[in-house]
Amino acid sequence: MIRERIERLRKEMALNDIDYYIIPTSDFHSSEYVSDYFKCREYMSGFTGSAGTLVISAKEAILWTDGRYFIQAEDQLKNTGIELYKSGNKGVPTISEYLKNRIGDDTAKIGFDGRVMDISFVKRIEEKVPHAEIVSDPDLVGNIWEDRPALPANDIYIFPEEYTGANAVNKLLEVVRRIREEGCSCHVVSSLDDIAWLLNLRGSDVTCNPVFLSYLFIAEENTVLFCQKSCLNPDTKKYLDDMGVECRDYNDIYSYCKCRFEEQSGGKDKQKILLDPDTVNYRLYKAFSDCFEPVLDTNPSTILKAQKNETELSNLRSANVIDGIAMVKFLKWLDEYKKDASGEKITELGVADKLLKFRMESPEFKDISFETIAAYGYHGAIVHYEPDAESDIPVERKSFLLVDSGAQYLKGTTDITRTIAMGEVTYEMKKYYTAVLKGMLDLASAVFPAGTAGANLDILARGPLWQMYKDYNHGTGHGIGFFLNVHEGPQNINWKIGKRFGNTTPVEPGMVTSDEPGFYLEGEYGIRIENDIAAVKKCENEYDNFLGFEILTLAPIDLSPVLFEDMSPDEIKALDDYHRMVYDRLSPYLDNETEKWLKEYIKH
Amino acid sequence: MIRERIERLRKEMALNDIDYYIIPTSDFHSSEYVSDYFKCREYMSGFTGSAGTLVISAKEAILWTDGRYFIQAEDQLKNTGIELYKSGNKGVPTISEYLKNRIGDDTAKIGFDGRVMDISFVKRIEEKVPHAEIVSDPDLVGNIWEDRPALPANDIYIFPEEYTGANAVNKLLEVVRRIREEGCSCHVVSSLDDIAWLLNLRGSDVTCNPVFLSYLFIAEENTVLFCQKSCLNPDTKKYLDDMGVECRDYNDIYSYCKCRFEEQSGGKDKQKILLDPDTVNYRLYKAFSDCFEPVLDTNPSTILKAQKNETELSNLRSANVIDGIAMVKFLKWLDEYKKDASGEKITELGVADKLLKFRMESPEFKDISFETIAAYGYHGAIVHYEPDAESDIPVERKSFLLVDSGAQYLKGTTDITRTIAMGEVTYEMKKYYTAVLKGMLDLASAVFPAGTAGANLDILARGPLWQMYKDYNHGTGHGIGFFLNVHEGPQNINWKIGKRFGNTTPVEPGMVTSDEPGFYLEGEYGIRIENDIAAVKKCENEYDNFLGFEILTLAPIDLSPVLFEDMSPDEIKALDDYHRMVYDRLSPYLDNETEKWLKEYIKH
């Protein structure tokens, strides 16, 4: 099936004289998760991971993806004729390097749908193969995809200030102030979470992300929201009217620039427009650069959004109590399951479903924040494994079960991973489990001066594994939105300097980040332990302004695989303090039996 | 006296219509230490620190210096009319920002001696005040400095391959290969340690640094050394002749570019020349950019020189045995001094002198590698304090004595700091001493994958202090030359990303770096413990290529102020392992009594 689709695409390419056609994993907004309409790369390759780019030429078909998906992609690409390029591995060229190698000094035509490509990516290609012709109009996959799903078009609703703690007008004013500092008179926001955050609106056009398809044009004089008008309910419409935000149709953004330009300057001087090269799509960039002088920089809202205010933090604490109650019930249920040696066996999907049911017991639950990873045994080593009907396996009473999940509440977004020993595990497994746990605790206990970035901190999480000459092939931490995307920038925790979403971004008070070291043994098992942590002020004195972390996530950590002799007294204390806090916060909401079960975790 | 000199300079400025005159701390080669001829900033300000820049206008005189020198500069600038600007502190403008603030949109003439200014610095000024006129010819301090010392002109001698482990021709060929990779046909090296390393020559034109005043022009066809010809002994002359290195007079470099240009191209096409913007002086840059197209990048020799080869590392181990023997004798002598409560008192200078005598007992000793810091009590808090006749104080039998020193041997350069409790110290002092020690040990014990940089590692050294909301105002580690400068790039260990000498430079096997956390309480005491560490390969496996450190420095660490209850079992083991290694390596060379004294350190 995949082979046939590729052949059909090659015919389309030939009709358009295109030598290389690039199919990234994106919607028109550089979203991480995309709705079904945008799943062109999956349609063409069969690979279902959340990240990857397919490049097709007359002779080759190559998929690039990153360390999280190497094992999964190898599996899903079998018999498709598509070759896997492991991004980031030694000797593996990037896509632009690959194009340079193949094209060399020849002429070539490179094509893609410019609406699903970001500017930075196209610029890298232009640099490497400056003489190649680039066409960004054709949506060739669209031409051959017969049953393509429709664009999502769901209700856009108001997200009240009791949750956000800040009103949209002030947010817009702050953005205007910041773009003026950069010498710009206007700004287009294309990233959906930025738009939702700026306007205090939410939607449900993207799986697990409460956002809606839209673009936002911001200038001192006016603000225009480009969205599917059918999605605006009367309240939202009035709210936007009252704020003075004009609404236009979703697709009109591409022509708006031209109208606006003629209206403003009579076609003479070019005004400066701020565009985020990592989120504005290439076709939009082309359209706006005809009429404006683009200034490429990160959206001002990205850093503003990352620093949660007191209302948001306080809501997040509540959300984590709700999520923690569900997690405790779930973990207690798993504990009983594993002790019931002769009981019926449940599969990974059954586990994910059970957890969803516990979460759904709360009326505050809105959605999961990403597809639940319930990975038993060797599936745990596939970093972003999600069980489906085909892959689903029973959870035995031995080895590790890794459950990485999260939820969307009006009071915030959660993300938590626990790894549970489902029975006896080997000494080696305990060694690695303990190293991962130490890393997680050491990072959360960090104290550091203002200005410190994720690149500075990562060694705390990885150090215990590095000491054993081991590592994990993913970042240690990502930013987390507030009732928004579970992955957001700009900060992250990763030692490799220079990666996207800047790990050199200083940690600021209010930033919420995951803390999730792991260890994976291919074909055997996976271990990951994850808490969400919020940066908080600790002490300001003559030396510096010191920050640290507050742990938001509330759920016990399996102690049965812990080798306490491998932990320092400080680490043992941090673990015990954590369980005491979990107990103190959650016990008022638990029945007697569950409360007793939870209390067992603070015996150490 | 200082006031009078400044007034005389202002007259010179008025004669030349100069509004702002900049006096940095540099020779013609951006050397860190400069010979007396170049001490214009010290002559004009009275401030003797190794780093600082003076800016003089008709109304103001301001000195910028960094955290190492705040206390010292405050002291030395008293009654000079010169204001101190603390570089790096919040709200303190850089020099270029200051000029921008003062000049604004007015016209102004900024002057300096272009031979003592680096390109990067001038470029920053040009960016901030683009309309100001810049004159780089006048050496106004030279005009008023009557008894100015002469340029140093000492013997240049061959440094044999048994020490360097690599011959000069191969080094030059590698540089040629690298400049061609950057599209350049030639290259000027201006940094003295790079020239000495490339040619396997040494000299003594700069205090403590075995280098000689020179420039090196490198092209595929020819290599030209510009130096004071009187310094070339017959052996060196022949050695250079045999290698095909032409010698020209030191100052001819400025006119050589023009001759060469005309000779090569008949004055037509500009060839590309590689110039290091951080070490090539501005006047040289101007001279070469008239005839060549400059490509600004770090000297290729800088990274090559930093990665010591097996011969150099093996020699360094021997050098550290020699230095360790002297240190053990010195520390044992100090131990006896402190126990002899009624004995005569010695001053800081006496301590430094004693240490020098122990070092001079070895015939291999060539020089000290920097001025010895023997800082007792409150002097220890002045990070780069060097005792002189005026500041010298007696060393009492209480508080801390901090001794930071190093030596030059043909087998390598050393740098070591020990802090000794000269009697009873308070619990608080022990707390900080132990935190500093923990940081030093934790960094030296690090294991990390290839690609890791100083910015990633620094938290290991600072972490124990940060946990106490304390810090130190200097880098944790600097690169160390091989029988060369005690400070060399490109790598360093500092969490602040983006500082000069790139702490984002990956640690490579063979790089030698200091590991020297500290703690300073102004007016009270200073603590610093420093070992030199060499990066070594640890383990290459399917996860990564892991590196770690080998400790080179061999000398006991005072255990009397250590709070073992504050240390983790791993740290206690690392400390004990270290003392065992010191004992094993040094004891064969010690007399019975000294050997017994040293053995006491491995009891824990």
Side-chain angles (χ1 to χ4, degrees):
Chain A
M1 195 171 61
I2 295 299
R3 285 179 187 269
E4 184 214 317
R5 287 175 188 169
I6 291 174
E7 283 318 310
R8 289 177 59 202
L9 189 83
R10 283 186 173 136
K11 278 182 196 142
E12 289 285 325
M13 287 168 61
L15 283 173
N16 289 272
D17 287 328
I18 289 172
D19 302 299
Y20 295 89
Y21 194 73
I22 307 176
I23 309 163
T25 302
S26 187
D27 58 9
F28 303 154
H29 309 276
S30 297
S31 303
E32 183 188 7
Y33 304 133
V34 300
S35 64
D36 291 342
Y37 176 86
F38 295 106
K39 292 184 174 168
C40 296
R41 192 262 300 142
E42 180 178 328
Y43 177 77
M44 289 303 302
S45 68
F47 167 60
T48 57
S50 75
T53 301
L54 184 64
V55 176
I56 293 178
S57 67
K59 286 183 187 165
E60 290 184 309
I62 300 169
L63 179 89
W64 276 257
T65 190
D66 64 59
R68 297 173 296 175
Y69 292 112
F70 290 165
I71 301 172
Q72 178 182 342
E74 262 169 19
D75 192 44
Q76 295 183 325
L77 293 183
K78 263 177 208 154
N79 304 318
T80 60
I82 299 172
E83 202 179 337
L84 175 64
Y85 273 32
K86 297 179 175 180
S87 296
N89 272 13
K90 238 186 219 168
V92 174
T94 62
I95 292 170
S96 47
E97 284 164 358
Y98 161 83
L99 291 171
K100 187 186 174 181
N101 294 344
R102 286 290 180 278
I103 298 170
D105 292 327
D106 291 345
T107 57
K109 197 164 165 184
I110 299 170
F112 47 80
D113 180 350
R115 294 170 302 172
V116 294
M117 288 284 264
D118 67 61
I119 307 172
S120 306
F121 187 73
V122 181
K123 283 195 180 291
R124 282 197 297 277
I125 292 175
E126 286 173 339
E127 253 170 46
K128 290 282 180 186
V129 277
H131 50 278
E133 185 189 348
I134 288 180
V135 287
S136 62
D137 290 334
D139 176 13
L140 297 191
V141 181
N143 295 354
I144 66 163
W145 189 351
E146 279 153 11
D147 313 319
R148 187 173 193 168
L151 264 186
N154 300 304
D155 183 49
I156 302 172
Y157 57 93
I158 299 167
F159 189 44
E161 249 179 79
E162 65 184 280
Y163 298 110
T164 65
N167 83 51
V169 173
N170 288 337
K171 292 180 180 179
L172 289 168
L173 285 174
E174 178 60 22
V175 167
V176 167
R177 200 183 64 72
R178 294 197 176 207
I179 64 172
R180 286 182 64 184
E181 272 183 8
E182 301 207 46
C184 295
S185 63
C186 50
H187 174 38
V188 170
V189 190
S190 167
S191 40
L192 302 183
D193 59 341
D194 281 298
I195 299 172
W197 179 83
L198 274 166
L199 297 177
N200 287 345
L201 293 175
R202 295 295 187 268
S204 57
D205 285 346
V206 177
T207 327
C208 302
N209 293 352
V211 297
F212 50 94
L213 292 177
S214 58
Y215 305 93
L216 188 65
F217 178 92
I218 302 175
E220 202 167 350
E221 321 82 71
N222 71 331
T223 306
V224 188
L225 177 66
F226 297 85
C227 65
Q228 300 180 90
K229 288 196 170 168
S230 64
C231 303
L232 293 170
N233 65 47
D235 287 349
T236 305
K237 186 86 197 73
K238 183 172 184 308
Y239 166 82
L240 288 167
D241 277 351
D242 289 351
M243 262 203 299
V245 174
E246 187 189 343
C247 294
R248 297 196 178 213
D249 196 68
Y250 184 44
N251 290 308
D252 287 355
I253 182 84
Y254 294 93
S255 53
Y256 179 75
C257 49
K258 200 160 164 20
C259 310
R260 171 144 186 124
F261 174 64
E262 279 160 6
E263 169 193 314
Q264 290 259 323
S265 64
K268 269 175 219 154
D269 298 322
K270 279 194 176 186
Q271 297 190 338
K272 283 188 184 172
I273 187 162
L274 183 70
L275 299 174
D276 186 335
D278 288 323
T279 61
V280 164
N281 75 54
Y282 182 71
R283 208 185 290 172
L284 202 58
Y285 167 74
K286 291 287 276 184
F288 273 90
S289 34
D290 282 347
C291 316
F292 290 85
E293 186 188 332
V295 172
L296 299 180
D297 202 354
T298 305
N299 289 331
S301 44
T302 302
I303 185 76
L304 294 169
K305 168 164 59 66
Q307 299 168 63
K308 275 67 185 170
N309 61 36
E310 276 312 315
T311 308
E312 289 171 318
L313 285 175
S314 156
N315 282 327
L316 256 176
R317 287 182 198 106
S318 308
N320 275 284
V321 167
I322 302 167
D323 207 53
I325 295 167
M327 281 301 297
V328 166
K329 290 177 183 169
F330 169 70
L331 290 168
K332 179 167 177 288
W333 167 81
L334 260 186
D335 198 31
E336 285 154 10
Y337 172 83
K338 88 181 188 191
K339 283 173 184 156
D340 182 15
S342 58
E344 226 175 301
K345 275 184 200 161
I346 199 164
T347 66
E348 296 167 324
L349 280 176
V351 165
D353 193 51
K354 196 82 195 173
L355 175 54
L356 179 63
K357 288 209 174 92
F358 283 122
R359 282 204 165 103
M360 286 174 75
E361 284 178 12
S362 161
E364 314 247 2
F365 175 80
K366 298 283 288 182
D367 197 355
I368 52 175
S369 61
F370 58 96
E371 285 302 326
T372 296
I373 296 169
Y376 175 68
Y378 67 95
H379 278 164
I382 306 171
V383 176
H384 276 221
Y385 170 82
E386 292 159 15
D388 58 26
E390 212 174 308
S391 69
D392 200 20
I393 54 171
V395 175
E396 312 279 345
R397 271 95 177 173
K398 60 182 180 183
S399 192
F400 282 131
L401 171 69
L402 186 161
V403 183
D404 187 350
S405 70
Q408 296 285 7
Y409 304 96
L410 289 177
K411 290 189 168 177
T413 304
T414 66
D415 186 359
I416 171 174
T417 308
R418 291 294 182 265
T419 300
I420 303 101
M422 294 306 297
E424 268 308 299
V425 293
T426 66
Y427 179 72
E428 190 198 64
M429 289 163 91
K430 289 181 180 178
K431 271 273 181 202
Y432 295 130
Y433 182 92
T434 306
V436 169
L437 175 60
K438 282 160 66 85
M440 197 278 286
L441 294 168
D442 292 355
L443 175 59
S445 310
V447 170
F448 48 90
T452 302
N456 302 126
L457 298 170
D458 195 23
I459 196 170
L460 299 180
R462 291 181 198 264
L465 281 164
W466 285 356
Q467 288 285 342
M468 303 162 81
Y469 306 125
K470 297 289 183 282
D471 201 358
Y472 46 95
N473 206 345
H474 59 74
T476 295
H478 54 82
I480 299 174
F482 178 79
F483 186 43
L484 263 183
N485 297 2
V486 73
H487 296 156
E488 71 170 25
Q491 86 280 11
N492 72 20
I493 298 175
N494 200 344
W495 66 274
K496 287 182 185 169
I497 291 164
K499 288 222 161 179
R500 198 185 151 193
F501 281 157
N503 56 353
T504 58
T505 303
V507 179
E508 302 280 355
M511 281 185 172
V512 175
T513 309
S514 68
D515 171 8
E516 46 177 321
F519 177 74
Y520 310 93
L521 203 60
E522 194 179 333
E524 300 281 338
Y525 55 84
I527 300 163
R528 187 163 64 250
I529 308 175
E530 174 187 26
N531 278 344
D532 300 344
I533 52 181
V536 291
K537 289 185 184 185
K538 283 279 192 179
C539 172
E540 190 162 0
N541 62 19
E542 69 273 33
Y543 291 93
D544 220 310
N545 182 3
F546 289 94
L547 310 178
F549 294 115
E550 171 187 341
I551 303 176
L552 297 171
T553 302
L554 300 170
I557 293 165
D558 192 359
L559 297 176
S560 67
V562 175
L563 296 176
F564 286 95
E565 65 270 30
D566 281 5
M567 296 176 74
S568 74
D570 284 350
E571 287 163 346
I572 293 173
K573 182 172 183 308
L575 180 61
D576 207 41
D577 286 351
Y578 175 66
H579 278 131
R580 200 175 307 275
M581 176 179 82
V582 171
Y583 177 81
D584 290 348
R585 297 263 185 92
L586 299 184
S587 56
Y589 309 99
L590 303 176
D591 63 44
N592 255 353
E593 193 191 319
T594 313
E595 177 248 302
K596 264 187 204 129
W597 176 85
L598 182 58
K599 203 170 187 177
E600 289 297 305
Y601 285 85
I602 41 172
K603 274 197 172 160
H604 295 87
Chain B
M1 193 173 60
I2 295 297
R3 285 178 187 273
E4 184 213 319
R5 287 176 188 171
I6 292 175
E7 283 318 310
R8 289 177 58 204
L9 189 84
R10 283 183 173 139
K11 277 181 197 145
E12 288 286 325
M13 287 167 60
L15 283 174
N16 290 272
D17 287 328
I18 288 172
D19 302 299
Y20 296 88
Y21 194 74
I22 307 176
I23 309 163
T25 302
S26 187
D27 59 9
F28 302 154
H29 308 276
S30 296
S31 303
E32 183 186 8
Y33 304 133
V34 300
S35 62
D36 291 343
Y37 175 87
F38 295 105
K39 292 185 174 166
C40 294
R41 192 262 300 141
E42 180 178 328
Y43 178 78
M44 289 304 302
S45 68
F47 166 60
T48 58
S50 76
T53 300
L54 185 65
V55 177
I56 293 179
S57 67
K59 287 184 185 164
E60 290 183 309
I62 299 169
L63 178 89
W64 278 258
T65 191
D66 64 59
R68 298 173 296 176
Y69 294 112
F70 290 164
I71 302 171
Q72 176 182 342
E74 261 169 19
D75 192 45
Q76 295 183 324
L77 294 182
K78 263 177 207 154
N79 304 318
T80 60
I82 299 173
E83 201 179 335
L84 174 64
Y85 273 32
K86 297 179 176 181
S87 295
N89 272 13
K90 236 184 217 170
V92 174
T94 62
I95 293 170
S96 48
E97 285 164 358
Y98 161 82
L99 290 170
K100 186 185 174 180
N101 295 343
R102 284 293 180 277
I103 298 170
D105 293 325
D106 291 345
T107 55
K109 197 164 165 182
I110 300 170
F112 47 81
D113 179 349
R115 294 170 302 173
V116 295
M117 287 285 263
D118 67 62
I119 307 172
S120 306
F121 187 73
V122 181
K123 283 196 178 291
R124 285 197 295 276
I125 292 175
E126 285 173 340
E127 253 171 46
K128 290 282 180 187
V129 278
H131 50 280
E133 183 188 350
I134 288 182
V135 286
S136 61
D137 289 334
D139 175 15
L140 298 190
V141 180
N143 295 354
I144 66 163
W145 190 350
E146 278 152 14
D147 314 318
R148 187 172 193 169
L151 264 188
N154 300 306
D155 183 49
I156 302 174
Y157 56 94
I158 299 167
F159 188 42
E161 250 181 78
E162 63 184 281
Y163 297 111
T164 65
N167 82 51
V169 173
N170 288 337
K171 290 180 180 178
L172 289 168
L173 284 174
E174 178 60 22
V175 167
V176 167
R177 201 184 64 72
R178 294 197 176 206
I179 63 172
R180 286 181 64 183
E181 273 183 7
E182 300 208 46
C184 296
S185 62
C186 50
H187 174 39
V188 169
V189 190
S190 167
S191 39
L192 303 183
D193 58 343
D194 281 298
I195 299 172
W197 180 83
L198 274 167
L199 297 177
N200 287 345
L201 294 175
R202 295 295 187 268
S204 57
D205 285 347
V206 176
T207 325
C208 302
N209 293 352
V211 297
F212 50 95
L213 292 177
S214 58
Y215 305 93
L216 188 65
F217 178 91
I218 301 176
E220 203 167 348
E221 320 81 74
N222 70 329
T223 306
V224 188
L225 177 67
F226 297 84
C227 64
Q228 300 181 90
K229 287 197 173 167
S230 64
C231 304
L232 293 170
N233 64 48
D235 286 347
T236 304
K237 185 88 196 70
K238 181 169 183 311
Y239 167 81
L240 289 167
D241 276 351
D242 289 350
M243 261 201 303
V245 174
E246 188 190 345
C247 295
R248 297 194 178 216
D249 197 68
Y250 183 45
N251 290 308
D252 287 355
I253 182 83
Y254 294 92
S255 53
Y256 180 74
C257 49
K258 203 162 165 9
C259 309
R260 171 148 183 118
F261 174 63
E262 279 160 6
E263 170 194 313
Q264 290 258 323
S265 64
K268 271 175 214 153
D269 298 322
K270 280 194 178 187
Q271 296 189 339
K272 284 188 181 170
I273 188 165
L274 183 70
L275 298 175
D276 185 337
D278 289 323
T279 60
V280 164
N281 76 53
Y282 182 71
R283 207 186 289 172
L284 202 57
Y285 167 74
K286 291 287 274 184
F288 274 90
S289 33
D290 282 346
C291 315
F292 291 85
E293 186 188 331
V295 171
L296 299 180
D297 202 354
T298 305
N299 289 331
S301 44
T302 302
I303 185 76
L304 294 169
K305 167 163 60 64
Q307 300 168 60
K308 275 66 182 170
N309 61 36
E310 278 311 315
T311 308
E312 289 171 318
L313 285 174
S314 156
N315 282 326
L316 256 175
R317 288 183 198 107
S318 307
N320 275 284
V321 168
I322 302 167
D323 207 53
I325 295 167
M327 281 300 298
V328 166
K329 290 176 182 171
F330 168 71
L331 290 167
K332 179 167 176 287
W333 167 80
L334 259 185
D335 198 33
E336 283 154 10
Y337 171 86
K338 87 180 191 192
K339 282 173 184 157
D340 182 16
S342 59
E344 227 176 296
K345 273 185 200 162
I346 199 164
T347 67
E348 296 167 322
L349 279 177
V351 165
D353 195 47
K354 197 81 194 171
L355 175 53
L356 179 63
K357 286 210 176 91
F358 283 122
R359 282 206 165 104
M360 286 174 77
E361 286 179 11
S362 162
E364 314 246 4
F365 175 79
K366 299 283 289 182
D367 197 354
I368 52 174
S369 61
F370 58 96
E371 285 301 326
T372 296
I373 298 169
Y376 176 69
Y378 68 96
H379 278 165
I382 306 171
V383 176
H384 277 221
Y385 170 80
E386 292 158 18
D388 58 27
E390 212 174 307
S391 69
D392 200 22
I393 54 171
V395 175
E396 313 277 345
R397 271 95 178 172
K398 60 181 181 183
S399 192
F400 282 131
L401 170 69
L402 186 160
V403 183
D404 187 351
S405 70
Q408 297 285 7
Y409 304 95
L410 289 177
K411 291 191 167 176
T413 305
T414 66
D415 186 359
I416 171 171
T417 310
R418 291 294 181 265
T419 300
I420 302 101
M422 295 307 296
E424 267 308 298
V425 294
T426 67
Y427 179 73
E428 188 197 64
M429 290 163 91
K430 290 181 181 180
K431 272 273 184 205
Y432 295 131
Y433 182 92
T434 306
V436 170
L437 176 60
K438 282 160 65 85
M440 197 277 287
L441 294 168
D442 291 354
L443 175 58
S445 310
V447 170
F448 48 89
T452 303
N456 301 127
L457 297 171
D458 196 23
I459 195 169
L460 299 180
R462 291 181 197 265
L465 283 162
W466 285 356
Q467 288 286 342
M468 301 162 84
Y469 306 125
K470 297 289 183 282
D471 200 359
Y472 48 94
N473 206 344
H474 59 74
T476 295
H478 55 81
I480 299 174
F482 178 79
F483 186 42
L484 264 182
N485 297 1
V486 74
H487 296 154
E488 71 168 26
Q491 87 280 11
N492 71 20
I493 297 174
N494 199 342
W495 66 273
K496 287 181 185 169
I497 291 165
K499 289 222 162 177
R500 198 187 151 193
F501 281 160
N503 56 354
T504 58
T505 303
V507 179
E508 302 280 354
M511 280 182 171
V512 175
T513 309
S514 68
D515 170 9
E516 46 178 321
F519 178 74
Y520 311 92
L521 203 61
E522 194 177 333
E524 299 282 339
Y525 55 84
I527 300 163
R528 187 163 64 251
I529 308 175
E530 173 187 27
N531 278 345
D532 300 345
I533 52 181
V536 289
K537 290 187 182 182
K538 282 280 195 179
C539 171
E540 190 162 0
N541 62 18
E542 67 273 32
Y543 291 94
D544 221 310
N545 182 3
F546 289 95
L547 309 178
F549 294 116
E550 170 189 342
I551 304 176
L552 296 172
T553 303
L554 300 171
I557 293 165
D558 192 358
L559 296 175
S560 68
V562 176
L563 297 175
F564 286 94
E565 65 270 28
D566 281 5
M567 295 175 75
S568 75
D570 284 349
E571 288 162 346
I572 292 174
K573 182 173 183 308
L575 180 60
D576 207 40
D577 286 350
Y578 175 67
H579 278 130
R580 200 173 307 274
M581 176 179 78
V582 171
Y583 176 79
D584 290 346
R585 297 262 184 95
L586 300 184
S587 56
Y589 309 98
L590 303 176
D591 62 42
N592 255 354
E593 192 190 320
T594 313
E595 178 248 300
K596 264 188 204 128
W597 176 85
L598 182 59
K599 202 170 187 176
E600 288 297 304
Y601 285 84
I602 40 173
K603 273 197 174 161
H604 294 87

